[in-house]
């Protein structure tokens, strides 16, 4: 039999039917739903008198819109409130399991899927959200869809798809101290550009990837979309199985054994064909930071703000010039000389327990710099509880961080957490687009360790220089 | 879904690469629970100043381009989030076709589901189109989906590729969900086989 990739294998196992032109109907095993991209889909079902085909394969949660302060007294913003109650009503009408804003299992949709054992290796996972790529960390084929497709999945448990191409990103060697999964994923986008993965599914491999924890692999795959790829994948291994064992929705008993036996077959064959290959030396990756308004605008923290004229073509030069104006930066400024106003720690990229431990490790015993507002938003209620039990919350509160309720928060500022015009933020989220964190806000994407370092010094800082 | 066979109209050129979905429709418009009415938020930050007045330097605010049906953009158009609101906003404004060297995958899908046509052309051809779009309201472009061609105001014709399934759905205005539900037996069969082979896939409740 011809050698196939991990992506080929999962794809082949989910083809329901194929059209003469190659378009396929693909079965969807897991569907996650949140309040922002689902209302119009349920409305569509209702208008056409359709049901949800298999409600038990869909899990719904509120995350984007909800405040991260005390929620027991309800939501002030009437529009946010309407979106939240609409999801509540839709899930109850259509029989879908739903975690509301007071449920301890509530959190960012891409954090709770894995946490509950809903996300499993070898499955197809979709959600009306581009960062669905996160779930690829488990060796699941996971990608974001639009609202029309959400409706399609609800009605039929399938999607009409064309197969993507295969791309391999190998990261070999050992990471240096102070360098994390976030730096790897940003460094990759720095290499490929934001469109480098368009039309492809990326498989990440190499010993640097193998040695990442599940949290690190989720951070890595989360940003596959920022490199343009539909999905990122890491082949499942013992680390994956250990993470999943005993989770509420993980298989148990004989089912678990059968599942693990199957999951062990999920890897690319020797000699399988990849349409694109990128190889990186892990030891050369440094802690990075973005300077512009696209995730590809990335540089090692030791570098300086670039000169727009140094870019290869006119379009890129114009784009860099616009980015620097927006960011209020002057070419030649050392990145470590850039003062910040805010620090945001959280999001589906870096809102997991390991991320919070890292922040506590760097900031513990220090103080948030004067004039800096630093906010920690755990990715889920369970992450929050665990961090409180481990004493992380106390360490961070003592250092002067704010400790919030779980949600998307200032990753996109749909709730009250946002940057004011001109404010500069070191953020562990995934998008530095203009206005993303608030109109006129200036975002520098960094790892949790680098965000912690920035919080205590009040400027972008090389975490390796902190004693 | 609405069918589309041909389209004739003015094209507006937006000379930027990486036009992301936050730019196309920012977060304050995502709180809606309906699909309609998003045209007013299209390109909000580029289109309005801080007081909410139109910015003269933005192409869609200029008299000649206010009724554009076609938008021409730079590489990686529609990158970023999966929000279908981006397609809804363009459609609601009146843009039925976007032409660019490349699009993000999710935006590309979303637009077609809403009866819009996205056309990929090589960068030099897009540049030529942008240049001709600048002639203003006399510069009419016409697009023929059946023939897969764009004809520019100066009479040149560019051919484009599109996959047959999308073309078929768009030409006939087909409802994809209804098409899929017609394959109910194939889906039943798949589920039965999957249950047999991988019983662990049914989640614990
Ligand atoms: S945390 Fe940010 S990127 Fe992740 S799902 Fe929420 S809004 Fe999207």
């Amino acid at each position: 039999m011809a050698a196939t990739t991990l992506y080929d294998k999962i794809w082949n196992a989910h083809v329901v039917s194929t059209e003469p032109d190659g378009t396929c109907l693909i079965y969807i095993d897991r569907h996650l739903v949140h309040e922002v991209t689902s209302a119009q889909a349920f409305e569509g079902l209702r208008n056409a008198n359709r049901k949800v085909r298999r409600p038990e394969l869909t899990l719904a949660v509120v995350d984007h819109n909800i405040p991260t302060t005390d929620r027991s007294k309800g939501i002030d913003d009437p529009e946010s409130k309407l979106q939240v109650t609409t999801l509540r009503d839709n899930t109850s009408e259509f029989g879908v399991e739903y975690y509301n804003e007071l449920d301890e299992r509530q959190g960012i949709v891409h954090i709770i899927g894995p946490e509950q054992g809903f996300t499993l290796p070898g499955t197809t996972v979709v959600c009306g959200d581009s960062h669905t790529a996160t779930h690829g960390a488990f060796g699941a084929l996971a990608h974001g869809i639009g609202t029309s497709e959400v409706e399609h999945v609800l009605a039929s448990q399938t999607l009409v798809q064309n197969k993507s191409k295969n791309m391999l990103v190998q990261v070999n060697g050992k990471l240096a101290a102070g360098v994390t999964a976030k730096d790897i994923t940003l460094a990759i986008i720095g290499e490929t550009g934001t469109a480098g993965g368009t039309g492809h599914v990326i498989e990440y491999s190499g010993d640097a990837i193998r040695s990442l924890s599940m949290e690190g692999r989720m951070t890595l795959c989360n940003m596959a979309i920022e490199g343009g790829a539909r999905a990122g994948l890491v082949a499942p291994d013992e680390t994956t199985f250990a993470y999943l064992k005993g989770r509420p929705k993980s298989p148990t008993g004989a089912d678990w054994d059968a599942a693990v036996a199957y999951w062990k077959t999920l890897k690319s064959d020797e000699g399988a064909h990849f349409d694109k290959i990128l190889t990186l030396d892990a030891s050369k990756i440094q802690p990075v930071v973005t300077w512009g308004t696209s995730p590809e605008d990335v540089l090692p923290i030791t570098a300086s703000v670039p000169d727009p004229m140094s870019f290869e073509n006119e379009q890129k030069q114009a784009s860099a010039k616009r980015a620097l104006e927006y960011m209020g930066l002057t070419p030649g400024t050392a990145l470590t000389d850039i003062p910040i106003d805010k620090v945001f720690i959280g999001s589906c990229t870096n809102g997991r327990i390991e991320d919070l431990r890292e922040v506590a490790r760097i900031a513990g015993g220090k103080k948030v710099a004067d004039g800096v507002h630093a906010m920690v938003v755990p990715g889920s209620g369970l992450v929050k509880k665990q961090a409180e039990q481990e004493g992380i919350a106390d360490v961070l509160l003592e250092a002067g961080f704010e400790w919030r309720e779980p949600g998307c928060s200032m990753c996109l500022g749909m709730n009250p957490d946002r940057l004011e015009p001109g404010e500069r933020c070191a953020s562990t989220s995934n998008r530095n687009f203009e206005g993303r964190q608030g109109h006129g806000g200036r975002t520098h994407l960094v790892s949790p360790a680098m965000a912690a370092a920035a919080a205590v010094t009040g400027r972008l800082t090389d975490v390796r220089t902190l004693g | 879904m609405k069918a589309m066979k041909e389209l004739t109209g003015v094209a507006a050129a937006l000379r930027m690469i990486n036009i992301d979905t936050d730019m196309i429709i920012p977060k304050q418009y995502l709180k809606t629970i309906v699909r309609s009415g998003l045209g007013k938020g299209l390109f909000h930050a580029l289109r309005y100043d801080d007081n909410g007045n139109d910015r003269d330097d933005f192409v869609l605010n200029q008299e000649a381009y206010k009724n554009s049906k076609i938008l021409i953009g730079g590489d990686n158009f529609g990158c970023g989030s999966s929000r279908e609101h981006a397609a809804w906003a363009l459609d609601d404004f009146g843009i039925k076709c976007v032409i660019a060297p490349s699009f993000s995958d999710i935006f590309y899908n979303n637009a077609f589901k809403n009866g819009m046509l996205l056309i990929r052309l090589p960068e030099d051809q897009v540049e030529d189109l942008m240049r001709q779009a600048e002639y203003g309201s006399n510069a009419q472009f016409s697009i023929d989906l059946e023939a897969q061609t764009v004809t520019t105001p100066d009479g040149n014709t560019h051919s484009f590729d599109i996959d047959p399934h999308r073309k078929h759905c768009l030409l006939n205005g087909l409802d994809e969900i209804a098409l899929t539900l017609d394959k109910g037996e194939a889906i039943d069969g798949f589920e039965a086989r999957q249950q047999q082979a991988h019983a662990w896939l049914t989640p614990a409740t």
Side-chain angles (χ1 to χ4, degrees):
Chain A
M1 228 172 61
T4 52
T5 66
L6 173 57
Y7 169 52
D8 298 336
K9 287 180 191 181
I10 305 178
W11 174 272
N12 292 339
H14 288 85
V15 175
V16 175
S17 66
T18 309
E19 297 298 313
D21 71 2
T23 306
C24 291
L25 195 63
I26 291 295
Y27 197 78
I28 302 302
D29 299 319
R30 296 289 186 265
H31 185 196
L32 290 152
V33 164
H34 66 73
E35 75 277 22
V36 177
T37 54
S38 63
Q40 293 88 344
F42 284 110
E43 184 63 22
L45 288 185
R46 207 175 285 118
N47 290 342
N49 235 330
R50 289 175 178 141
K51 292 201 305 259
V52 175
R53 183 180 172 96
R54 289 189 67 189
E56 75 277 17
L57 300 186
T58 295
L59 180 61
V61 69
V62 276
D63 55 4
H64 281 63
N65 240 325
I66 48 169
T68 53
T69 46
D70 181 15
R71 302 193 280 243
S72 59
K73 289 179 204 70
I75 300 171
D76 286 341
D77 180 307
E79 285 181 300
S80 294
K81 188 170 168 176
L82 178 62
Q83 229 170 27
V84 169
T85 53
T86 302
L87 181 60
R88 179 198 65 197
D89 297 347
N90 281 330
T91 50
S92 103
E93 180 184 339
F94 288 92
V96 168
E97 187 173 3
Y98 167 59
Y99 300 160
N100 71 21
E101 65 277 21
L102 301 175
D103 194 313
E104 146 180 294
R105 297 165 299 177
Q106 178 270 340
I108 304 169
V109 65
H110 309 307
I111 297 210
I112 67 149
E115 197 170 73
Q116 293 298 321
F118 188 67
T119 304
L120 297 174
T123 56
T124 45
V125 180
V126 296
C127 172
D129 193 285
S130 57
H131 291 100
T132 311
T134 313
H135 308 264
F138 291 81
L141 178 57
H143 59 79
I145 56 178
T147 300
S148 295
E149 290 177 312
V150 171
E151 186 180 337
H152 194 281
V153 174
L154 289 170
S156 70
Q157 209 57 46
T158 65
L159 268 184
V160 177
Q161 293 264 289
N162 291 303
K163 194 163 180 237
S164 303
K165 291 186 184 142
N166 279 291
M167 176 167 175
L168 180 67
V169 175
Q170 284 176 305
V171 189
N172 299 319
K174 210 170 162 307
L175 287 178
V179 183
T180 66
K182 183 67 165 285
D183 301 297
I184 301 181
T185 203
L186 281 168
I188 292 169
I189 298 162
E191 286 285 328
T192 62
T194 48
T198 303
H200 292 76
V201 165
I202 297 179
E203 179 175 346
Y204 299 97
S205 74
D207 42 354
I209 305 297
R210 281 284 139 234
S211 53
L212 290 176
S213 65
M214 283 320 295
E215 283 84 356
R217 293 179 193 181
M218 285 188 256
T219 302
L220 177 77
C221 291
N222 174 275
M223 292 193 71
I225 182 73
E226 258 58 63
R230 283 220 90 178
L233 282 170
V234 176
D237 58 14
E238 292 303 327
T239 307
T240 323
F241 311 148
Y243 177 98
L244 286 171
K245 188 150 183 133
R247 304 237 161 216
K249 291 182 185 295
S250 288
T252 52
D255 276 350
W256 171 262
D257 297 337
V260 172
Y262 174 63
W263 295 344
K264 286 186 173 162
T265 68
L266 295 172
K267 48 176 165 259
S268 291
D269 298 327
E270 196 74 42
H273 174 75
F274 286 92
D275 302 280
K276 246 188 195 182
I277 297 179
L278 172 74
T279 305
L280 261 72
D281 178 352
S283 66
K284 299 239 166 70
I285 300 175
Q286 299 192 49
V288 293
V289 47
T290 61
W291 53 268
T293 54
S294 163
E296 71 187 21
D297 298 340
V298 59
L299 280 172
I301 182 67
T302 48
S304 302
V305 176
D307 180 351
M309 295 319 286
S310 67
F311 289 86
E312 70 250 28
N313 61 41
E314 242 174 76
Q315 266 190 335
K316 291 242 156 102
Q317 290 167 4
S319 169
K321 195 161 163 275
R322 180 184 167 92
L324 289 188
E325 265 166 37
Y326 181 85
M327 293 296 290
L329 293 175
T330 316
T333 310
L335 293 171
T336 49
D337 283 342
I338 299 174
I340 51 141
D341 307 301
K342 288 206 165 154
V343 173
F344 172 64
I345 289 156
S347 87
C348 58
T349 316
N350 286 124
R352 285 169 285 266
I353 190 70
E354 187 180 279
D355 302 316
L356 304 189
R357 284 187 195 131
E358 184 76 354
V359 174
R361 190 177 67 79
I362 305 287
K366 302 192 176 70
K367 287 280 178 209
V368 170
D370 282 346
V372 172
H373 177 208
M375 188 195 249
V376 183
V377 183
S380 73
L382 293 173
V383 168
K384 178 168 186 255
K385 185 163 120 182
Q386 188 176 353
E388 285 167 355
Q389 283 166 353
E390 289 183 15
I392 290 170
D394 290 336
V395 169
L396 293 174
L397 282 165
E398 176 62 32
F401 288 83
E402 265 186 29
W403 183 246
R404 297 279 192 129
E405 296 298 320
C408 292
S409 178
M410 211 162 67
C411 174
L412 92 165
M414 264 188 91
N415 74 347
D417 311 336
R418 60 182 75 127
L419 297 179
E420 295 301 320
E423 272 186 339
R424 190 180 297 285
C425 179
S427 178
T428 67
S429 56
N430 45 46
R431 289 197 172 129
N432 51 349
F433 298 158
E434 288 183 20
R436 169 80 178 183
Q437 295 194 285
H439 176 66
R442 295 162 171 168
T443 304
H444 296 276
L445 301 177
V446 288
S447 71
M450 290 281 284
V456 297
T457 60
R459 54 187 169 77
L460 297 178
T461 298
D462 187 340
V463 63
R464 296 169 300 186
T465 63
L466 276 193
Chain B
M1 192 176 88
K2 287 161 290 182
M4 183 197 290
K5 293 189 168 59
E6 288 158 340
L7 184 70
T8 299
V10 170
L14 204 48
R15 279 184 189 276
M16 289 168 79
I17 54 172
N18 298 326
I19 295 174
D20 59 70
T21 51
D22 284 74
M23 246 183 238
I24 299 173
I25 186 87
K27 56 188 146 275
Q28 61 268 37
Y29 294 96
L30 304 187
K31 295 187 179 184
T32 177
I33 57 166
V34 296
R35 284 178 156 94
S36 54
L38 287 165
K40 64 177 186 304
L42 181 70
F43 292 119
H44 183 100
L46 298 169
R47 194 161 144 208
Y48 306 114
D49 65 20
D50 288 346
N51 302 318
N53 300 316
D54 284 6
R55 306 173 85 113
D56 297 336
D57 61 351
F58 185 62
V59 63
L60 294 176
N61 286 336
Q62 293 159 9
E63 206 47 52
Y65 300 102
K66 278 190 171 153
N67 298 313
S68 300
K69 290 186 188 157
I70 301 162
L71 188 68
I72 310 171
D75 221 9
N76 202 24
F77 190 100
C79 61
S81 95
S82 67
R83 59 187 72 163
E84 197 159 317
H85 308 66
W88 298 335
L90 285 161
D91 183 48
D92 192 54
F93 181 88
I95 305 278
K96 306 295 169 198
C97 170
V98 186
I99 303 173
S102 70
F103 296 94
S104 87
D105 290 338
I106 304 179
F107 175 74
Y108 190 79
N109 270 327
N110 287 344
F112 277 93
K113 309 268 176 206
N114 288 280
M116 294 171 64
L117 171 62
L118 301 195
I119 298 177
R120 296 189 190 104
L121 285 177
E123 211 153 315
D124 54 330
Q125 293 182 29
V126 170
E127 179 54 39
D128 179 47
L129 261 55
M130 286 203 182
R131 204 174 39 74
Q132 297 197 46
E134 281 159 13
Y135 296 153
S137 57
N138 292 327
Q140 299 276 322
F141 288 69
S142 41
I143 292 162
D144 183 339
L145 177 55
E146 187 65 65
Q148 299 181 205
T149 55
V150 181
T151 306
T152 56
D154 67 5
N156 279 339
T157 295
H158 302 271
S159 295
F160 61 86
D161 276 337
I162 178 170
D163 79 69
H165 176 76
R166 282 188 214 279
K167 180 175 172 180
H168 177 70
C169 286
L170 196 52
L171 280 173
N172 299 291
L174 297 177
D175 171 5
E176 202 169 58
I177 297 180
L179 288 180
T180 297
L181 293 178
D182 282 346
K183 297 184 184 136
E185 265 178 41
I187 303 174
D188 291 344
F190 180 91
E191 282 176 342
R193 286 194 304 278
Q194 197 191 42
Q195 183 59 30
Q196 193 77 34
H198 301 297
W200 53 269
L201 269 169
T202 304
T205 39

